[in-house]
Amino acid sequence: GGKEAERGKVGRGRARAGYARSRPSPRSGGGGACEGFGAAAAARRAPRVPSPRLAEAQPPLSLPFPPVATSLPWPGMELFQAKDHYILQQGERALWCHRADGSFQLRPATDLLLAWNPICLGLIEGIIGKVQLHTDLPWWLLLVRQKVVVGKLPGDHEVCKITKITAIPLSEAEPQDLELELCKKHHFGIDKPEKITQSPDDSKFLLKTLTQIKSNVSASNKKKVKESKEKERLERRLLEELSKMFMDSDSFYYCLTYDLTNSVQRQSACEKANLPLWKKVDDRFFWNKHMVQDLINIGNSEVDFWITPVIQGFVQIEELVVNYNEASDEEKSSPETPPQESICVDDIHPCFLVALISRRSRHRAGMRYKRRGVDKNGNVANYVETEQLIHVHSHTLSFVQTRGSVPVFWSQVGYRYNPRPRLDKGEKETISYFRTHFEEQLKIYTKQVIINLVDQAGREKIIGDAFLKQVLLYNNPSLTYVSFDFHEHCRGMKFENVQTLTDAISDIITDMKWCWVDQAGVICKQEGIFRVNCMDCLDRTNVVQAAIARVVMEQQLKKLGVMPPEQPLPVKCNRIYQLMWANNGDAISRQYAGTAALKVKSFHFKSKKFAALLQFALRTKLYTVWQRAMF
């Protein structure tokens, strides 16, 4: 009787799962219900019969490429801790990760019964991969602890943002404070795990023992203890920074049924329709590829289920209503404006979905002032591809732009704010690497229109001149160079003067077109892209890209009959649209510079405070160590 009573306990928020025999469940698709506690309720639960409305045929997808046919690793994978392994289980699948060497092994879910004393730690959303933060530190397994759905792309594809992660040490050390959502199957009736606390007697005994040990430690051993403490301190600090990257930056996104790394145009031309999602991704934007390389090396089709491509960048999805009669937010709040009855706009005013997807390259990673220009592989710092999607009824229209550091060898050395830029290699030494960069760009995008926004006078002039010289030496007809001194034309925060640029390149915008697909397939393709850059490829670049994208969007909406030919975008639509691009600029700026963007006066003005600068200075070196460890 005592053994049975002890078996029924879940003690301190963890549930022993070794005695529970798994059986298929109609809700989870196999291996879901458990013949431990809650088995009677599971047996009484009848399978759900879909309602007639849900059983109706769904409308066809608007994109020419079908959604990826895969079993979703949702809702929640179970995480178990055994003596030698961590075990991830979902349905009939299980992934075993060895605690000593970090090796992965695919096994059926029923093998959980063979594990030594498995303990259910809780639920996770997915796997990011393995990472070693320092050569002297152990490997860690990164898991998605919490995510939020930011919206749905055409075809009902849910895009998720990672908001919290869990790092588990791949060693004999016990995982601490995972704060996972508890599995109802193995933690029946428990809302939160209890923290394990020691009794007063145990604490006194341990304190006495530690005192005796300390008194017997020799001088050489004290040095080792000091080094061990410093290592632990470094590890703890790196883990804190890693956690902040995911919690504070709003930078990491994934979708289980849609390829976020590829534009609509590249997806429509893809010949890998039957391959799993991770094999179709654009390698440049597969942010966690290095972390899941051990999984990829398994070479088994069953591993596809566990690999989730993650992008670093930004995603925002909004539905806008084209209503010229609707008052703006300021007018609504004015006491002179009488209240108006709400009108159903679905039938009267056309609406459209707009999505902004920015993808940061995983190559030449690093922070501002630490990563500039081009490397020997032709990769540039702060390279980001931004795609604007417009979806109306069965039509999806896409427009792509890129940004990236000036592709010459240059740097800014020193500890002062905004050090003077300098060239690190001569004109002849740079030619081959410049050529390598643009050959890859032209291979992907066919044509490039360079818009260089650096100052044509002062300290930035040396970089702008070097860029122009390389373009002239390259002498490729597929490359168009446009110079626009942003600070000269928009002096005094007059960003509306960017229209001078958009008017000047209006013919180029029209000739470039955009990608347009519907249910029948591709209607037209975008021929070339704008490659916009300033010194940091942040504030100025984002303002100009937003202006170009707005011109394109208005042309698209007028072409589809959503907007009248001679009317601008409605005030409320314009405000939301501007806010989306401001958020995009903030996200990219935080990833590269550690602070939000500055040039957002017309969107939502933010000032760069001294505290933010100090925080950036403290974090820059540490963040660079993390980037190097990962890539």
Side-chain angles (χ1 to χ4, degrees), residues 7 46 50 74 90 181 215 255 266 282 305 326 347 412 472 574 593 621:
R7 179 178 293 180
W74 285 351
Q90 211 278 330
E181 179 185 349
S215 63
C255 180
R266 291 200 296 271
D282 190 321
F305 176 82
E326 187 176 17
D347 300 325
Q412 288 178 280
L472 295 174
N574 185 50
K621 186 175 182 180

Side-chain angles (χ1 to χ4, degrees), residues 223-287:
K223 185 178 180 181
K224 291 181 179 179
V225 170
K226 183 179 179 181
E227 291 177 353
S228 177
K229 286 183 177 179
E230 289 178 353
K231 192 180 294 184
E232 289 177 4
R233 218 167 15 244
L234 174 63
E235 185 175 44
R236 186 163 53 249
R237 190 177 176 193
L238 287 172
L239 285 172
E240 288 175 359
E241 289 296 320
L242 177 62
S243 181
K244 287 178 182 177
M245 275 182 58
F246 287 90
M247 293 177 63
D248 300 340
S249 66
D250 294 334
S251 299
F252 299 95
Y253 300 82
Y254 68 93
C255 180
L256 298 172
T257 59
Y258 184 86
D259 184 4
L260 289 177
T261 68
N262 274 306
S263 65
V264 170
Q265 183 160 313
R266 291 200 296 271
Q267 290 188 53
S268 63
C270 181
E271 298 177 354
K272 308 174 183 178
N274 297 324
L275 292 179
L277 183 65
W278 72 268
K279 289 185 178 180
K280 296 189 290 186
V281 297
D282 190 321
D283 184 74
R284 299 174 296 167
F285 309 121
F286 190 173
W287 183 81

Side-chain angles (χ1 to χ4, degrees), residues 381-436:
N382 197 24
Y383 183 88
V384 182
E385 179 189 82
T386 300
E387 179 180 21
Q388 179 177 277
L389 280 174
I390 304 295
H391 181 70
V392 182
H393 302 302
S394 61
H395 297 270
T396 300
L397 301 92
S398 160
F399 185 73
V400 173
Q401 301 179 79
T402 62
R403 68 178 75 188
S405 187
V406 174
V408 298
F409 290 94
W410 64 283
S411 60
Q412 288 178 280
V413 181
Y415 294 98
R416 56 179 291 185
Y417 179 68
N418 193 17
R420 183 175 293 276
R422 70 179 189 187
L423 294 175
D424 298 328
K425 286 190 177 183
E427 192 176 283
K428 293 182 179 179
E429 293 178 278
T430 305
I431 291 175
S432 61
Y433 306 108
F434 184 91
R435 181 184 298 272
T436 301

Side-chain angles (χ1 to χ4, degrees), residues 185-235:
K185 185 197 313 179
H186 303 114
H187 301 82
F188 186 77
I190 298 178
D191 295 328
K192 294 182 179 180
E194 299 176 10
K195 290 187 178 180
I196 301 175
T197 56
Q198 298 173 341
S199 65
D201 295 337
D202 291 341
S203 299
K204 290 179 181 178
F205 175 76
L206 287 173
L207 184 62
K208 185 178 180 181
T209 305
L210 287 171
T211 305
Q212 291 175 351
I213 293 173
K214 286 180 180 179
S215 63
N216 296 328
V217 173
S218 62
S220 60
N221 288 338
K222 285 182 179 179
K223 185 178 180 181
K224 291 181 179 179
V225 170
K226 183 179 179 181
E227 291 177 353
S228 177
K229 286 183 177 179
E230 289 178 353
K231 192 180 294 184
E232 289 177 4
R233 218 167 15 244
L234 174 63
E235 185 175 44

Side-chain angles (χ1 to χ4, degrees), residues 89-354:
Q89 183 170 312
Q90 211 278 330
E92 298 177 353
R93 299 177 175 89
L95 180 67
W96 292 44
C97 182
H98 203 282
R99 295 177 64 174
D101 58 16
S103 60
F104 289 108
Q105 189 179 8
L106 298 169
R107 301 177 67 168
T110 52
D111 280 6
L112 182 64
L113 299 173
L114 305 177
W116 181 269
N117 193 26
I119 297 173
C120 181
L121 301 179
L123 298 175
I124 62 165
E125 299 290 348
I127 303 171
I128 299 174
K130 295 190 307 181
V131 64
Q132 188 180 27
L133 300 175
H134 194 274
T135 54
D136 296 333
L137 299 177
W139 286 82
W140 290 76
L141 180 63
L142 299 186
L143 305 171
V144 181
R145 175 158 65 96
Q146 191 177 94
K147 48 86 178 173
V148 294
V149 178
V150 297
K152 290 185 178 182
L153 291 173
D156 209 30
H157 301 285
E158 282 190 346
V159 180
C160 301
K161 177 174 67 178
I162 300 173
T163 54
K164 291 182 181 178
I165 64 167
T166 289
I168 300 177
L170 295 177
S171 63
E172 296 179 356
E174 291 290 316
Q176 301 293 327
D177 300 327
L178 297 182
E179 299 181 0
L180 298 179
E181 179 185 349
L182 296 183
C183 169
K184 301 301 181 183
K185 185 197 313 179
H186 303 114
H187 301 82
F188 186 77
I190 298 178
D191 295 328
K192 294 182 179 180
E194 299 176 10
K195 290 187 178 180
I196 301 175
T197 56
Q198 298 173 341
S199 65
D201 295 337
D202 291 341
S203 299
K204 290 179 181 178
F205 175 76
L206 287 173
L207 184 62
K208 185 178 180 181
T209 305
L210 287 171
T211 305
Q212 291 175 351
I213 293 173
K214 286 180 180 179
S215 63
N216 296 328
V217 173
S218 62
S220 60
N221 288 338
K222 285 182 179 179
K223 185 178 180 181
K224 291 181 179 179
V225 170
K226 183 179 179 181
E227 291 177 353
S228 177
K229 286 183 177 179
E230 289 178 353
K231 192 180 294 184
E232 289 177 4
R233 218 167 15 244
L234 174 63
E235 185 175 44
R236 186 163 53 249
R237 190 177 176 193
L238 287 172
L239 285 172
E240 288 175 359
E241 289 296 320
L242 177 62
S243 181
K244 287 178 182 177
M245 275 182 58
F246 287 90
M247 293 177 63
D248 300 340
S249 66
D250 294 334
S251 299
F252 299 95
Y253 300 82
Y254 68 93
C255 180
L256 298 172
T257 59
Y258 184 86
D259 184 4
L260 289 177
T261 68
N262 274 306
S263 65
V264 170
Q265 183 160 313
R266 291 200 296 271
Q267 290 188 53
S268 63
C270 181
E271 298 177 354
K272 308 174 183 178
N274 297 324
L275 292 179
L277 183 65
W278 72 268
K279 289 185 178 180
K280 296 189 290 186
V281 297
D282 190 321
D283 184 74
R284 299 174 296 167
F285 309 121
F286 190 173
W287 183 81
N288 59 327
K289 181 181 179 180
H290 179 72
M291 299 185 187
V292 296
Q293 192 61 53
D294 286 353
L295 281 174
I296 294 173
N297 293 340
I298 293 176
N300 190 325
S301 60
E302 294 182 7
V303 81
D304 300 339
F305 176 82
W306 302 100
I307 300 176
T308 303
V310 175
I311 67 165
Q312 183 185 24
F314 175 76
V315 179
Q316 186 171 346
I317 304 169
E318 299 288 345
E319 188 172 13
L320 304 183
V321 179
V322 182
N323 183 2
Y324 290 95
N325 298 323
E326 187 176 17
S328 64
D329 294 337
E330 288 81 1
E331 291 173 343
K332 285 182 179 179
S333 60
S334 173
E336 299 178 359
T337 305
Q340 298 179 355
E341 296 182 3
S342 59
I343 303 173
C344 180
V345 298
D346 295 338
D347 300 325
I348 302 174
H349 305 290
C351 61
F352 64 97
L353 182 140
V354 58

